[in-house]
Amino acid sequence: LILFQKGQTTTPPPFEIFFCFGEEWPDQKPKEKKLIMVQVVPVAARLLLEMFSGELSWSADSIPLQISHPDLKDKMVQQFKELHQLWQNQQQLPPGPPEAA
């Protein structure tokens, strides 16, 4: 993700996780032909990729998470929202003079 953000690679990193149940995989069969295939997309990974690629077209406040008990995951989502807000603020600031050392 860091290499993609810095422009050192043109291919974004994959963040989808695939699970196949009841059959061997990978094999010669495409995953679309499997009986039970599950794709998991971590919201945090998608948010970071879209944020760094400039494709973020939705508000971080609209992340549809359903977590039963407040825990570390809730804090992580809040930190990503704060990071997103900081990033947006930084994108809106005009470049200033270099600071004296």
Side-chain angles (χ1 to χ4, degrees), residues 61-72:
D61 294 329
S62 68
I63 298 174
L65 293 180
Q66 296 177 350
I67 300 174
S68 300
H69 303 287
D71 59 6
L72 182 61

Side-chain angles (χ1 to χ4, degrees), residues 6-18:
K6 289 181 176 180
Q8 295 176 357
T9 180
T10 57
T11 308
F15 56 86
E16 296 94 356
I17 303 165
F18 292 94

Side-chain angles (χ1 to χ4, degrees), residues 56-91:
L56 189 63
S57 60
W58 45 273
S59 167
D61 294 329
S62 68
I63 298 174
L65 293 180
Q66 296 177 350
I67 300 174
S68 300
H69 303 287
D71 59 6
L72 182 61
K73 290 175 235 139
D74 290 325
K75 292 177 184 172
M76 187 173 75
V77 169
Q78 184 58 39
Q79 288 173 343
F80 278 125
K81 288 181 180 181
E82 291 171 9
L83 176 65
H84 177 253
Q85 186 61 45
L86 287 171
W87 180 78
Q88 280 185 327
N89 292 343
Q90 182 183 17
Q91 296 299 313

Side-chain angles (χ1 to χ4, degrees), residues 21-40:
F21 296 95
E23 294 182 72
E24 290 292 324
W25 184 70
D27 58 8
Q28 309 304 34
K29 237 175 161 178
K31 64 181 176 251
E32 294 80 16
K33 299 285 185 181
K34 295 295 183 177
L35 291 175
I36 302 172
M37 198 71 174
V38 176
Q39 178 183 12
V40 177

